[in-house]
Each structure stands twice: as C-alpha cells, then as structure tokens.
Amino acid sequence: VISRRSSRISPLVEGLIETLYVEEGQEVAAGDALFRLDDRLAEIAVAQAEAEVQEAAARLEDVQRQFDEAATLWPKRAIPETTYESARIEVEARKAALLRLNAELDRQKELYRRHLISAPFAGVIVTKFAEVGQWIRPESPVFELAEIDTLRIEVPVPQQHYPLVQPGQPSSVRFDAIPTETFPAEVTSRIPFGRDQVRTFPVWIDFDNRSRKVAPGMSARVSLTLGSDGPPALVVPNDALVRRADGSVLIWLVRDHDGGLQAEPVPVIVGQVTSAGVQITGPGLEPGMLVVVRGNETLRPNQSVRTITPAGVGR
C-alpha cells in the first residue's frame, strides 16, 4: 500500500522559519497553514511599494490637470503647440510609471504571501525536516505531506495476465494487518511499462480510506477477476510454452511432412492459467493440433520428432 500522492513541501522564497504550525503525524486539510517564514522585511517592502504607488498617482493627477488646461488653451493658440505636446507626453509617461509601480506592488505582495506556506492537498505530515529558527531555501523541504484519504495498492501483474486487466475490473483486497475483513475495490489504471527482470507490470487499485483502517506501508493480497475481449483461446499444457529472454513466448507445433513429423515454432500470446492448462492465441492455431511438451527447449525449426507414450515407448 502506498500513498496516492505525496509531496516534500518547500518554500518559494528563502528565509528564517518563524513558526511551525504542525507536527509529524498531524492531519491537515488543503489550505491549512504549515509554517511561516520571518516576513518583516517583506512587509516593509510592501509598504514602500504602496507609498510609491500613491506618490505616482498624485503626480499623474497633477500632470493630468496641467494637460487639461493646455488642452483648453492650445485651440485658441494661447500656448505653443510644443507646450501642449509636452503636457500630453508627460501624462502618458506618468500613466506608464503608475502601471510599473502597481506591478511592483503586486510582486511585493506576492512575495509577502509566499512567506506563509499552506498544504496543497489534504493529508498527514509524515516527516519534519527543519525547526524554528532554521534558515531555509527553496530547494530545502520542511515537511513531507502524504495523502491518506485515498490510498493506492500497486499490484505486480505477470505479463501473461497483463492484457486481461482493464480499468474498472472488480477486485477484492485483504490486508495482512486486518485479516478478518475483505474490501471491495476495482482496478484504477495499469502501467504499460514492465520490470525487465521479473516480467511484471504495475496495476494500480485506489481505494477509499476515510475510515483510516489502512496505512501506507501495509501489505495486501489482491484478487482480480480477469476476462478477455479477444477471440476464444486454446489451451495447452504449461510445459508446451517456451519463454525467451526477450519476454516472448512460443510453442512447437508438430506437423506431418512427407510422411514424417517435424517441429515448427509458432509465437503465441499467453492468457489465463486454468486448471486445464494455459490459454493461448496465435496464428494458425486450431483445436486438436499436436504440440511438443518434452525437449522443446533445444528444438530447431523443421527438426524431425516422434511421439511417445507416457511410458516412453515410441509410436
């Protein structure tokens, strides 16, 4: 069992940790305050930016008044055209300056807000990396937060069953820590990227954990109900399958050739394992065909073979 999402929470600005609002093991909701950095200098920067905006607004008001006066005098030719144009340009410059200072004020307010760090999602604090009085930088985490309302089981599914697993398929889950209960669930998604050495593919099952009965790190036993949307599959003994190093699977068909029997390799796709054998699909397969179940690891294409009885007597 793993957390569906976890995050190491870091600040967006560097600073001195002033307050820690939570501790390890504490649950938080999305938006709850986690810690605060010393924000006195940021507060002063906001006040300074606000004052500069007020000053710029006052200067704009003054030059606007002068321009309005010039706009009434210039049509009467009471002032030179250059005086009128200078007043107009000064108004445009003051407007641009006010826009720039307002943008700077917004930036300083945002920097001030970034001194308070909140939880991005609901979860539990699983690790604390820093203490009050410690200088912290954006690349340094303070807490690790893990979601716990919804947990995830990662099931390693063998490659022969992977094609039969689809999102939405029903499953049942039993946790080793709660052996007396069975929890219904369904497949959330499957990951099309196998692990090379063991030939398994991850399948995710998300489940509701608002009851808090399960915790990340617990082991689980999952039963999946598999099905197939493809054509009906034939069944062969497990010994008929030859698994190659690249993960592919083949069987050796026995065909009659000029009165003798020869072995022919045929690639197959493996399906469900049943009490009767292993289901397969592949090109040219038909019920009743003979397959090699002994000695097939060393066969060569078109090699002559013979059938034997269980006692080993040729026939």
Side-chain angles (χ1 to χ4, degrees), residues 1-271:
V1 180
I2 59 177
S3 179
R4 189 175 61 167
R5 54 178 176 172
S6 62
S7 177
R8 293 192 171 191
I9 310 299
S10 304
L12 293 174
V13 295
E14 64 178 355
L16 189 73
I17 298 178
E18 184 179 76
T19 308
L20 295 177
Y21 296 105
V22 295
E23 291 292 337
E24 289 174 307
Q26 183 174 339
E27 291 193 28
V28 297
D32 283 356
L34 300 182
F35 62 95
R36 178 185 288 278
L37 303 179
D38 180 13
D39 56 10
R40 180 56 184 156
L41 291 179
E43 186 178 14
I44 292 173
V46 170
Q48 180 179 349
E50 288 175 339
E52 292 175 351
V53 167
Q54 291 175 2
E55 179 184 1
R59 291 186 181 277
L60 174 60
E61 184 179 357
D62 182 56
V63 298
Q64 183 68 56
R65 178 185 55 79
Q66 296 177 30
F67 171 71
D68 291 342
E69 291 178 356
T72 59
L73 294 174
W74 180 66
K76 302 175 183 179
R77 300 298 187 265
I79 59 173
E81 183 179 358
T82 55
T83 302
Y84 168 79
E85 287 296 328
S86 295
R88 184 184 64 80
I89 293 173
E90 183 67 16
V91 169
E92 296 300 323
R94 292 295 179 181
K95 286 181 178 179
L98 183 59
L99 287 174
R100 175 177 56 80
L101 291 172
N102 272 313
E104 176 62 19
L105 175 59
D106 290 341
R107 190 178 79 89
Q108 293 299 336
K109 286 182 176 179
E110 179 61 28
L111 289 175
Y112 175 76
R113 283 192 292 267
R114 292 184 179 190
H115 285 68
L116 177 64
I117 290 80
S118 303
F121 54 85
V124 61
I125 302 297
V126 295
T127 311
K128 180 173 69 174
F129 299 101
E131 287 290 351
V132 171
Q134 185 172 336
W135 186 268
I136 201 77
R137 291 182 172 82
E139 66 271 13
S140 302
V142 177
F143 292 113
E144 182 175 2
L145 176 67
E147 184 182 41
I148 198 170
D149 281 347
T150 302
L151 293 181
R152 171 170 291 163
I153 302 171
E154 183 174 311
V155 185
V157 174
Q159 61 182 359
Q160 64 266 30
H161 299 314
Y162 176 77
L164 305 177
V165 179
Q166 298 294 333
Q169 279 181 308
S171 65
S172 60
V173 182
R174 299 188 70 179
F175 300 96
D176 293 341
I178 318 171
T180 59
E181 291 189 56
T182 300
F183 298 82
E186 63 180 33
V187 174
T188 305
S189 59
R190 61 179 194 168
I191 311 302
F193 190 85
R195 296 186 175 96
D196 292 339
Q197 295 184 352
V198 293
R199 306 294 179 192
T200 62
F201 291 80
V203 169
W204 287 350
I205 297 175
D206 294 348
F207 64 96
D208 192 316
N209 189 46
R210 284 175 292 184
S211 65
R212 298 296 189 271
K213 291 184 177 180
V214 181
M218 288 184 176
S219 57
R221 302 175 186 270
V222 177
S223 297
L224 292 169
T225 301
L226 302 180
S228 175
D229 295 329
L234 301 173
V235 176
V236 296
N238 186 61
D239 289 342
L241 302 179
V242 178
R243 303 181 186 274
R244 292 174 169 175
D246 62 0
S248 61
V249 182
L250 61 83
I251 62 173
W252 289 88
L253 291 180
V254 177
R255 298 185 186 276
D256 189 359
H257 182 73
D258 294 335
L261 299 179
Q262 292 185 350
E264 176 186 336
V266 175
V268 296
I269 298 176
V270 178

